[in-house]
């Protein structure tokens, strides 16, 4: 069940747009902010608040790569490996991240603190490459030492939503049995091409 | 050309993102002046200035505004802040440093086209930038720049900030509108163009962040002032993002017509580690590669097009002599494969096949004939795709085959990548 606050937010945004369907993305963000990821059940609730069929919410949601469909670590670390970042050592940095965290691309550390993955999507930080986003905030001009210090901080830091920040996250057990992906292979495919 | 910057002239001022500081630098005087003018006069002014869109296509902004059908309301102004072109980070810089400048531009454009509701569509990954704009909109609303009867002039305006969720294709204007309507962000057929049938089927103008950021200055200083800068067909300045193998990557606002050499060697601080320049790419991931012999080409839509590439979104990616051009192209192809929306077959399947073939070059299993196979696949995508994403996915790899075919052959002969990976010191 969504909190009253989230439900109110969904209905408020629906009232702002000329079409309530436009509130689907804001609603999905509100849900992810509260629950850390977006379940089928939550999409059903969004559908009710917006007065739209649930299939429509699911069709829209599955197109976008940023909505998580399962719980992940308290913090999300994403490193860009597209060409401009590659030129400045993104592959080496990716290898370092994997070594330091001890889990593969797309996986979560055993303590539930960090889920990391590489992406082929430019994050708009090529000017500070190698770069990564931590809970959607920029960490640029990375060095091994800098990355280590960031991880040190994240291990004990509460999830962004616990600090009142609009992101996501729950402490969860690691995701087991993931197939390895690395470097340019890391771009995680999600939903984009699956027609509902 | 040592011209004073326009958009970034006050970017050294502390706390420029705050309304009071922005106003102190002259902020919102352009909007106030605009409110005292007739909307049609504003359209004419922007037409006369020669301002062209900075989102990639370079379409004249005033002309785009004038295409809206007379008497059809409501109309919408949509600011495109979906910036996701690899190599491009100028809109991020403009938003985070001066969100009010973007907002003022949005307000001027909305007033000029007679829109009472404007949208800013920002990519989901730009969370700090989303917050900067959110703060600016709040401040502007409290100060009476937004809402009913703006500044007592009888004009109503609201701005909705809309957060995307990770899809490069939503930067394409029709996909953006589809996404804003709450659907899967797939492009629509043009025509009808958004000016006729855009958001919710109503007349709509889509303008880029940098484009609208120019507006306050054009309104304040006039069309002649603006058109005195730049080249005959490219007025004003552009904010260039320079990345890759240079000493000082970053954003630099330069007058149009400045030689590429100046951007790379002076502002970018030259190629790093005293290495030689191998190639560079203006305009972002989609655009064709250029060579050192093109260094004296001007930063200008037409000049770069004449040299065989495109200025696109204003990203300059610099590659030194140690770069594996095959791997660079492979990354871009993978990017397009990942970002293909899947609506049309040439792009969906073609980018997939190109990516697979590129993997065989890096993996050491490619055959000599695969080079022409790549060209063949590219040829079957370009011009046969539903939107420019598919076409553009082939431009960089094909230009790399044109200029660096020997590197592909080397990958075949040596059964893998002949270039050593970037040495440790690159990241230490
Ligand atoms: C695949 C694709 C991606 C695009 N991405 C962006 C983008 O991120 N930002 C942008 O302003 N324009 C982007 N454009 C261009 C827009 O379609 C549109 O031309 C532009 O926003 C118009 O604004 P302007 O006239 O101010 O340049 C993209 C176009 C294509 C084909
Ligand atoms: S060219 Fe690619 S991105 Fe464009 S409509 Fe076709 S599949 Fe979608
Ligand atoms: S290519 Fe990595 S952030 Fe742009």
């Amino acid at each position: 069940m969504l909190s009253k606050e989230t439900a109110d937010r969904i209905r408020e945004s629906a009232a702002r747009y000329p079409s309530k369907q436009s509130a689907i993305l804001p609603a999905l963000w509100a849900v992810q902010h509260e629950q850390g990821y977006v379940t089928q059940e939550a999409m059903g609730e969004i559908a009710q608040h917006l007065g739209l069929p649930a299939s429509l919410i699911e069709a829209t949601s599955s197109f976008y790569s940023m909505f998580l469909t399962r719980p992940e670590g308290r913090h999300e670390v994403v490193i860009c490996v597209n060409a401009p970042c590659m030129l400045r050592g993104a592959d080496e940095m990716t290898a370092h991240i994997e070594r330091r965290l001890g889990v593969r691309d797309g996986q979560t550390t055993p303590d539930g603190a960090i889920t990391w993955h590489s992406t082929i999507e430019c994050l708009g930080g090529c000017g500070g490459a190698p770069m990564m986003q931590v809970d959607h905030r920029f960490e640029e001009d990375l060095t091994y030492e800098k990355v280590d210090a960031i991880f040190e901080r994240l291990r004990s830091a509460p999830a962004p939503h616990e600090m009142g920040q609009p992101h996501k996250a729950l402490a969860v057990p690691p995701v087991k049995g993931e197939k390895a992906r690395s470097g340019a292979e890391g771009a995680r495919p999600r939903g984009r091409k699956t027609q509902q | 050309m040592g011209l004073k910057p326009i958009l970034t002239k006050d970017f050294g001022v502390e706390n420029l993102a705050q309304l009071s500081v922005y106003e102190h630098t002259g902020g919102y005087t352009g909007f106030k002046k605009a409110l005292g003018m007739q909307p049609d006069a504003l359209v004419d002014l922007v037409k006369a200035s020669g301002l062209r869109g900075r989102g990639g296509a370079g379409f004249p902004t005033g002309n785009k505004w004038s295409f809206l059908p007379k008497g059809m309301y409501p109309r919408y102004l949509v600011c495109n802040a979906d910036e996701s072109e690899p190599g491009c980070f100028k809109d991020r810089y403009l938003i985070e440093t001066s969100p009010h400048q973007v907002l003022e531009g949005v307000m001027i454009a909305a007033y000029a086209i007679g829109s009472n509701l404007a949208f800013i569509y920002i990519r989901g990954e730009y969370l700090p930038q989303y917050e900067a704009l959110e703060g600016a909109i709040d401040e502007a609303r409290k100060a009476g720049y937004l809402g009913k009867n703006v500044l007592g002039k009888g004009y109503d305006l609201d701005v909705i900030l809309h957060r995307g969720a990770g899809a490069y294709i939503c930067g394409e204007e029709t996909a953006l509108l589809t996404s804003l309507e709450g659907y899967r962000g797939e492009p629509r057929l043009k025509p009808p163009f958004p000016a006729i049938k855009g958001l919710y089927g109503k007349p709509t103008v889509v303008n880029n962040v940098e484009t609208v950021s120019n507006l306050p200055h054009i309104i304040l200083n006039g069309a002649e002032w603006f058109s005195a800068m730049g080249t005959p067909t490219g007025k004003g300045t552009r904010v260039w993002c320079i990345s890759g193998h240079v000493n000082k990557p970053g954003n630099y606002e330069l007058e149009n017509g400045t030689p590429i050499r100046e951007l790379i060697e002076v502002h970018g601080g030259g190629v790093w580690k005293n290495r030689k320049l191998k190639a560079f790419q203006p305009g972002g991931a989609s655009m064709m590669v250029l060579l050192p012999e093109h260094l004296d080409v001007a930063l200008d839509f037409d000049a770069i097009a004449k040299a065989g590439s495109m200025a696109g979104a204003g990203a300059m990616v610099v590659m030194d002599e140690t770069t594996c051009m095959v791997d660079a192209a492979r990354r871009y192809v993978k990017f397009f494969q990942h970002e293909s929306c899947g609506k049309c077959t040439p792009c969906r399947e073609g980018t997939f096949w190109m990516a697979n073939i590129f993997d065989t070059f890096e993996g050491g299993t490619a055959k000599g004939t695969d080079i022409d196979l790549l060209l063949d696949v590219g040829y079957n995508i370009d011009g046969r795709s539903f939107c420019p994403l598919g076409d553009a996915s082939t431009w960089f790899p094909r230009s790399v085959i044109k200029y660096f075919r020997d590197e592909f052959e080397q990958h075949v002969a040596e059964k893998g990548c002949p270039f050593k990976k970037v040495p440790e010191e690159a990241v230490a």
Side-chain angles (χ1 to χ4, degrees):
Chain A
M1 221 6 216
L2 295 173
S3 68
K4 184 178 173 305
E5 194 195 345
T6 303
D8 287 346
R9 264 174 64 187
I10 292 172
R11 280 194 299 263
E12 270 163 33
S13 51
R16 290 198 69 196
Y17 290 90
S19 150
K20 59 192 174 179
Q21 185 156 347
S22 287
I24 294 180
L25 285 192
L28 289 164
W29 276 122
V31 168
Q32 182 149 311
H33 176 200
E34 184 197 324
Q35 306 197 329
Y37 59 107
V38 183
T39 59
Q40 206 130 18
E41 192 191 348
M43 289 194 268
E45 282 191 62
I46 292 176
Q48 280 182 359
H49 290 302
L50 298 182
L52 295 167
S55 59
L56 194 59
I57 317 293
E58 286 167 30
T60 296
S61 160
S62 67
F63 184 80
Y64 300 90
S65 64
M66 289 179 80
F67 296 121
L68 306 180
T69 52
R70 60 169 193 219
E72 295 197 348
R74 284 203 312 279
H75 301 282
E76 185 184 41
V77 167
V78 188
I79 177 161
C80 168
V81 294
N82 205 328
C85 281
M86 170 196 89
L87 296 174
R88 297 182 79 89
D91 289 357
E92 289 72 11
M93 200 52 75
T94 305
H96 177 77
I97 291 176
E98 178 154 4
R99 268 198 309 274
R100 265 295 171 273
L101 294 181
V103 292
R104 293 255 163 83
D105 192 326
Q107 296 183 335
T108 305
T109 53
D111 61 358
I114 301 170
T115 303
W116 81 276
H117 68 91
S118 64
T119 181
I120 197 75
E121 224 174 313
C122 166
L123 295 170
C126 350
M131 63 79 62
M132 59 188 192
Q133 277 203 323
V134 175
D135 298 328
H136 301 222
R137 289 173 203 280
F138 289 89
E139 297 288 353
E140 301 182 314
D141 299 313
L142 296 177
T143 59
Y144 293 160
E145 294 74 29
K146 206 165 166 180
V147 166
D148 293 349
I150 291 167
F151 289 164
E152 196 57 40
R153 171 165 61 78
L154 293 181
R155 295 258 182 210
S156 56
H161 78 283
E162 293 168 0
M163 300 187 288
Q165 287 181 22
H167 176 42
K168 42 147 255 169
L170 286 177
V172 285
V175 182
K176 295 208 184 73
E178 270 278 272
K179 194 172 150 283
R181 293 186 243 112
S182 69
E185 275 68 48
R188 61 170 162 187
R190 192 183 279 118
R192 191 69 47 78
K193 283 163 204 163
T194 53
Q195 294 290 339
Q196 288 279 330
Chain B
M1 287 186 214
L3 204 102
K4 276 210 236 110
I6 305 173
L7 306 183
T8 58
K9 72 176 162 50
D10 297 315
F11 276 23
V13 176
E14 231 179 294
N15 297 326
L16 185 61
Q18 284 173 19
L19 178 62
S20 55
V21 178
Y22 180 66
E23 284 176 324
H24 196 73
T25 64
Y28 287 109
T29 46
F31 178 57
K32 285 177 190 158
K33 185 172 171 191
L35 278 184
M37 293 168 65
Q38 286 302 318
D40 281 349
L42 281 171
V43 176
D44 289 340
L45 178 74
V46 172
K47 255 192 204 168
S49 75
L51 175 66
R52 288 170 70 176
R54 307 299 198 223
F59 198 84
T61 307
N63 291 30
K64 192 189 266 192
W65 292 359
S66 66
F67 291 153
L68 296 184
K70 294 257 171 296
M72 269 175 73
Y73 294 91
R75 300 164 162 195
Y76 299 112
L77 186 277
V78 179
C79 176
N80 189 343
D82 193 54
E83 180 170 75
S84 319
E85 182 75 24
C88 209
F89 43 93
K90 68 183 172 66
D91 294 344
R92 168 188 162 193
Y93 172 62
L94 292 171
I95 293 169
E96 67 192 14
T97 320
S98 189
H100 279 290
Q101 178 171 263
V102 178
L103 189 56
E104 185 180 1
V106 165
M107 288 153 64
I108 291 170
Y111 175 74
I113 65 162
S115 165
N116 300 107
L117 183 58
F119 297 84
I120 303 175
Y121 186 107
I122 186 166
R123 72 180 292 195
E125 290 86 351
Y126 279 3
L127 180 60
Q129 293 68 28
Y130 176 93
E131 290 167 347
L133 278 171
E134 197 179 32
I137 292 172
D138 273 356
E139 278 189 311
R141 194 172 286 129
K142 288 196 185 104
Y145 290 120
L146 288 175
K148 293 253 176 273
N149 191 15
V150 172
L151 302 175
K153 300 277 192 201
Y155 171 60
D156 300 345
L157 178 62
D158 198 8
V159 176
I160 295 182
L161 182 59
H162 191 87
R163 188 175 177 203
Y168 165 74
I169 189 59
C170 291
E172 193 282 328
E173 57 185 7
T174 62
L176 186 152
L177 297 176
T178 315
S179 171
L180 191 46
E181 289 172 0
Y183 295 93
R184 300 168 69 83
E186 289 171 357
R188 303 174 187 167
L189 204 60
K190 290 194 277 193
F193 288 91
I196 312 294
K197 210 164 173 245
L199 188 62
Y200 310 122
K202 306 290 186 228
T204 302
V205 166
V206 181
N207 276 148
N208 168 260
V209 166
E210 187 184 349
T211 310
V212 300
S213 297
N214 273 289
L215 296 173
H217 308 283
I218 294 175
I219 305 306
L220 272 185
N221 300 303
E224 261 170 52
W225 165 84
F226 189 78
S227 63
M229 291 175 281
T231 63
T233 53
K235 303 300 183 189
T237 64
R238 284 197 80 168
V239 179
W240 280 90
C241 320
I242 182 166
S243 64
H245 293 150
V246 286
N247 284 310
K248 295 191 293 168
N251 284 291
Y252 301 98
E253 184 182 5
L254 301 175
E255 183 175 3
N256 283 327
T258 306
I260 292 177
R261 183 187 296 281
E262 186 183 321
L263 172 62
I264 296 180
E265 292 179 1
V266 179
H267 303 283
V271 178
W272 71 350
K273 302 179 182 183
N274 292 317
R275 291 196 190 139
K276 282 215 286 288
L277 177 68
K278 182 186 225 169
F280 57 89
Q281 185 193 17
S286 319
M287 301 314 171
M288 302 77 165
V289 71
L290 292 177
L291 304 175
E293 67 196 58
H294 299 117
L295 272 176
D296 293 310
V297 170
L299 291 168
D300 170 62
F301 292 112
D302 296 352
I304 292 179
K306 224 172 113 200
S309 188
M310 277 188 250
M316 182 68 69
V317 184
V318 177
M319 299 162 194
D320 75 18
E321 55 192 329
T322 66
T323 310
C324 173
M325 298 306 291
V326 178
D327 199 14
R330 184 175 78 106
R331 308 277 165 144
Y332 286 142
V333 166
K334 292 225 159 207
F335 166 77
F336 286 113
Q337 179 211 349
H338 186 251
E339 296 304 325
S340 165
C341 82
K343 178 171 178 146
C344 69
T345 317
C347 168
R348 185 186 61 234
E349 302 299 319
T351 53
F352 173 81
W353 284 112
M354 280 204 296
N356 279 0
I357 300 168
F358 266 104
D359 279 346
T360 64
F361 278 97
E362 285 301 302
T365 57
K367 300 183 293 295
T369 49
D370 287 339
I371 306 173
D372 288 325
L373 184 61
L374 267 179
L375 289 174
D376 193 46
V377 176
Y379 174 77
N380 278 296
I381 301 173
D382 194 6
R384 291 169 173 75
S385 298
F386 187 83
C387 88
L389 186 149
D391 300 344
S393 74
T394 73
W395 297 342
F396 184 79
R398 285 155 84 199
S399 71
V400 169
I401 294 177
K402 177 171 152 203
Y403 290 125
F404 298 96
R405 198 179 176 104
D406 55 323
E407 287 193 17
F408 285 83
E409 284 159 358
Q410 239 180 314
H411 278 74
V412 174
E414 297 180 25
K415 297 201 184 317
C417 186
F419 291 85
K420 290 224 171 54
K421 283 293 162 199
V422 191
E424 279 301 88
E425 18 116 27
V427 293

